[in-house]
């Protein structure tokens, strides 16, 4: 598969800011900062870093799938946390999602846009076969 593919997350800022939830160019995929905003516009589980992390990764997985990638292709995640004292809850959720994938990750403290929003996550992926070979 070649070319450029885009995924929309349906967020209200995607059109205004002219960005995609995910963009794939050849085997490379970047997923924009993803939070736990539900389709209704409500924040999923305000104040709960673990639950928001799981929800954000579900949204990331859907965006990856839309451009022909999977969680197993993720090579890097970045988390922006409103309170680094909750980094353990992010780490626990990340460990559950990526136990057999082992991407590199980092977390930084950041101010987020909505009260009760605890985490925003970016992901980078490279589509490859089971041996790590890029089929291009």
């Amino acid at each position: 598969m070649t070319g450029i593919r885009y995924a929309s997350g349906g967020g209200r800022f995607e059109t205004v800011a002219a960005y995609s939830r995910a963009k794939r160019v050849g085997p490379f995929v970047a997923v924009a900062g993803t939070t736990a905003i539900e389709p209704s516009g409500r924040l999923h589980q305000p104040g709960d870093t673990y639950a928001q992390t799981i929800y954000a990764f579900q949204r990331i997985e859907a965006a990856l799938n839309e451009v022909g990638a999977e969680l197993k292709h993720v090579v890097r995640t970045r988390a922006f946390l409103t309170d680094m004292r909750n980094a353990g809850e992010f780490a626990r959720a990340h460990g559950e999602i990526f136990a057999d994938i082992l991407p590199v990750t980092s977390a930084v403290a950041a101010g987020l846009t909505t009260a009760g929003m605890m985490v925003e996550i970016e992901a980078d992926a490279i589509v490859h076969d089971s041996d790590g070979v890029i089929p291009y």
Side-chain angles (χ1 to χ4, degrees):
M1 201 228 53
T2 59
I4 299 172
R5 295 175 67 179
Y6 302 91
S8 172
R12 63 182 185 199
F13 294 118
E14 288 180 26
T15 301
V16 173
Y19 76 92
S20 301
R21 173 69 34 217
K23 182 174 182 176
R24 177 175 175 173
V25 179
F28 304 101
V29 182
V31 182
T34 302
T35 63
I37 297 292
E38 298 173 348
S40 66
R42 286 191 198 175
L43 178 62
H44 181 78
Q45 297 293 315
D48 187 331
T49 302
Y50 174 83
Q52 288 184 25
T53 299
I54 294 293
Y55 192 87
F57 279 130
Q58 290 169 345
R59 293 185 65 209
I60 288 168
E61 182 175 25
L64 288 167
N65 292 166
E66 194 172 332
V67 298
E70 300 176 37
L71 284 173
K72 69 182 181 182
H73 299 126
V74 172
V75 296
R76 174 184 293 278
T77 61
R78 290 174 206 86
F80 303 92
L81 299 165
T82 58
D83 188 340
M84 291 304 285
R85 292 175 293 187
N86 296 325
E89 292 302 298
F90 163 76
R92 180 167 65 101
H94 191 280
E96 291 173 11
I97 299 291
F98 293 106
D100 296 324
I101 300 167
L102 305 175
V104 298
T105 192
S106 55
V108 297
L112 299 177
T113 60
T114 302
M117 185 178 286
M118 306 305 292
V119 63
E120 180 173 343
I121 304 167
E122 297 176 342
D124 297 315
I126 302 172
V127 178
H128 59 276
D129 70 14
S130 60
D131 293 321
V133 176
I134 298 172
Y136 292 92

